[in-house]
């Protein structure tokens, strides 16, 4: 299998730009993106932009006219209605000769049934892979990439156990549970590496793969944050994962979908140990280099302190 033309959906989101930049940097692909009619996102001149409302008719018109070897989806499928958009994109890809589809996984280990039970919003992700499995063939294949939490993005939006503005760190339980996390740039490198090599495409056909910049405990993470910010005083706040799970689950069932963020933290940091998978990594296969945790944290904290 050889991939020359790539279509990226969700290129203007949180992860999309990192993947787009690495696809461009690889200098191996003709790159196009899908963009909603109301989107204000802009893209480099070398990238072809196709406007779509993600309806079957719109997607089929685009994919039948401009043939693509691979489609990469970074759509935020946990948002209301977007899961259906990705299913439409999968169907259009299958109908129009796409060889490899990479769905919008890029996060928690959804293949673990406990993860999906704790975080109900992952339903559309599981539905997408189930749909891909039902359509797979020698000509139409897929790869789902599990990354764990996004390290750099998670720090910047105060998700990853750190509140930079309040100078507060959050220690879940005793801080000894390992979890995996990946920088956005590393995700982009992984996608470009996978699509640019026929042997890697073969090795990852119709399966989940795992990547990570780091697999650490919160205790190690807290020490790394302190090393990355010499002279800075941090307050440590302790969090009970099981109490948070109970409270957030009740709030989510009552209609507060923002409680899903706390549920995501439970599966990342909590004592149920659902956030680590370092024994299954494909980093070596994809040629991903080792990264320095303290340097990564420092870089992620820097924009928020300007």
């Amino acid at each position: 299998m050889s991939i020359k033309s790539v279509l990226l959906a969700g290129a203007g989101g949180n992860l999309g730009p990192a993947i787009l930049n690495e696809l461009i940097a690889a200098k191996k692909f003709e790159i196009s993106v899908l963009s909603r009619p109301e989107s204000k996102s802009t893209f480099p001149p070398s990238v072809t932009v196709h406007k779509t409302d993600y309806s079957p008719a719109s997607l089929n018109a685009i994919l039948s006219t401009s043939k693509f070897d691979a489609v990469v989806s970074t759509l935020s499928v946990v948002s209301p209605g977007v899961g259906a958009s990705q299913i439409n994109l999968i169907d259009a890809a299958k109908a129009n000769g796409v060889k490899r589809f990479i769905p919008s996984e890029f996060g928690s280990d959804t293949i673990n049934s406990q993860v999906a039970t704790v975080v109900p919003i992952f339903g559309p992700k599981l539905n997408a892979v189930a749909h891909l499995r039902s359509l797979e063939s020698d000509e139409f294949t897929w790869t789902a990439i599990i990354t764990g939490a996004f390290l750099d993005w998670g720090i910047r939006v105060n998700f990853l156990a750190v509140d930079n503005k309040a100078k507060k760190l959050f220690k879940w339980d005793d801080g000894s549970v390992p979890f995996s996390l990946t920088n956005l740039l590393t995700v982009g490198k992984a996608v470009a590496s996978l699509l640019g090599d026929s042997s890697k495409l073969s090795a990852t056909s119709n399966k989940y793969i795992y990547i990570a910049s780091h697999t650490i405990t919160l205790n190690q993470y807290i020490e790394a944050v302190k090393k990355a910010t010499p002279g800075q005083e941090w307050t440590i706040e302790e969090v009970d994962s099981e109490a948070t799970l109970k409270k957030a689950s009740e709030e989510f069932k009552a209609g507060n979908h923002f409680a899903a963020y706390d549920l995501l933290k439970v599966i990342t940091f909590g004592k149920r140990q659902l956030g680590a998978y370092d024994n299954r990594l494909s980093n070596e296969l994809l040629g991903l280099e080792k990264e320095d945790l303290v340097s990564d944290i420092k870089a992620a904290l820097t924009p928020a302190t300007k």
Side-chain angles (χ1 to χ4, degrees), residues 193 199-200 203-204 209 281-288:
S193 175
S199 64
K200 295 173 186 176
T204 61
I209 64 169
L281 294 181
S282 294
N283 285 33
E284 185 175 348
L285 170 68
L286 299 177
L288 301 178

Side-chain angles (χ1 to χ4, degrees), residues 3-261:
I3 302 297
K4 295 181 180 179
S5 55
V6 180
L7 178 64
L8 176 60
N14 294 315
L15 174 60
I19 294 179
L20 178 61
N21 289 341
E22 290 304 312
L23 290 173
I24 293 172
K27 298 181 179 179
K28 293 182 177 181
F29 312 106
E30 298 172 4
I31 305 164
S32 299
V33 299
L34 293 175
S35 180
R36 295 184 185 275
E38 67 274 15
S39 173
K40 302 295 192 239
S41 297
T42 58
F43 304 98
S46 61
V47 174
T48 302
V49 180
H50 298 278
K51 291 291 186 178
T52 180
D53 60 1
Y54 286 92
S55 65
S58 172
L59 292 170
N60 275 298
I62 293 168
L63 274 75
S64 63
T65 303
S66 302
K67 295 295 185 178
F68 302 102
D69 297 318
V71 173
V72 180
S73 173
T74 64
L75 296 171
S76 179
V77 294
V78 297
S79 300
V82 183
S85 297
Q86 182 169 232
I87 295 296
N88 291 343
L89 183 56
I90 291 170
D91 288 340
K94 167 71 174 180
N96 291 286
V98 169
K99 302 173 184 178
R100 178 62 54 92
F101 194 103
I102 299 180
S104 188
E105 276 289 344
F106 306 113
S108 303
D109 186 10
T110 52
I111 198 172
N112 185 325
S113 59
Q114 293 185 67
V115 169
T117 299
V118 173
V119 188
I121 60 172
F122 285 152
K125 290 190 173 190
L126 294 170
N127 292 342
V129 174
H131 195 55
L132 285 165
R133 288 187 192 277
S134 73
L135 298 175
E136 69 184 45
S137 66
D138 290 341
E139 293 76 30
F140 183 67
T141 61
W142 58 272
T143 305
I145 305 176
I146 304 298
T147 65
F150 295 146
L151 172 55
D152 42 4
W153 177 85
I155 289 176
R156 288 169 186 151
V157 300
N158 296 336
F159 173 83
L160 206 59
V162 58
D163 184 336
N164 192 33
K165 185 176 180 180
K167 301 305 174 189
K168 183 182 294 186
L169 296 167
F170 300 88
K171 182 177 178 179
W172 288 66
D173 303 319
D174 65 0
S176 66
V177 172
F179 61 98
S180 299
L181 63 172
T182 308
N183 285 306
L184 296 178
L185 177 64
T186 305
V187 181
K189 289 181 179 298
V191 171
S193 175
L194 189 160
L195 293 179
D197 187 294
S198 59
S199 64
K200 295 173 186 176
L201 284 163
S202 178
T204 61
S205 180
N206 299 330
K207 63 177 63 174
Y208 284 85
I209 64 169
Y210 297 77
I211 64 171
S213 296
H214 310 281
T215 297
I216 55 174
T217 67
L218 267 178
N219 289 331
Q220 293 171 322
Y221 176 72
I222 288 171
E223 289 306 308
V225 171
K226 291 178 178 178
K227 288 181 180 179
T229 56
Q232 177 64 59
E233 293 293 329
W234 292 90
T235 300
I236 308 296
E237 181 174 315
E238 296 187 354
V239 183
D240 185 313
S241 64
E242 291 301 303
T244 302
L245 172 59
K246 183 176 184 298
K247 182 174 183 290
S249 295
E250 291 172 351
E251 291 179 352
F252 185 84
K253 290 176 182 177
N256 177 14
H257 281 206
F258 288 105
Y261 288 104

